[in-house]
Amino acid sequence: MLLSTILITCFLVALAFILLGIKILILKDGEFPNTHISGNKGLREKGIQCAKSQDREAQNLTIK
């Protein structure tokens, strides 16, 4: 019972990795999408940045 549960779990985890990596495995130049805020064109156009980037920018402006 325990062994079958472990095997099923390992199979499901392996299947999840394969399904998540389909784009990378199939396409010649496949890569993971950029999920960072700066990678979103709509947010960039509105001037929205990640909090860390805004904080770094603010600190650089006050130091100079």
Side-chain angles (χ1 to χ4, degrees):
M1 179 71 176
L2 180 63
L3 181 62
S4 64
T5 304
I6 291 173
L7 289 175
I8 291 171
T9 303
C10 289
F11 172 75
L12 290 175
V13 170
L15 181 65
F17 273 107
I18 291 169
L19 291 175
L20 287 171
I22 282 179
K23 182 178 178 183
I24 295 169
L25 295 172
I26 292 176
L27 296 179
K28 182 177 180 182
D29 294 327
E31 59 184 31
F32 283 109
N34 184 0
T35 58
H36 195 263
I37 290 175
S38 64
N40 187 317
K41 183 180 177 184
L43 292 176
R44 246 189 331 222
E45 290 174 354
K46 292 180 180 181
I48 298 173
Q49 299 175 350
C50 114
K52 287 184 179 182
S53 298
Q54 287 179 336
D55 187 43
R56 188 178 324 114
E57 220 173 80
Q59 287 179 358
N60 286 338
L61 291 176
T62 57
I63 293 174
K64 292 180 180 181

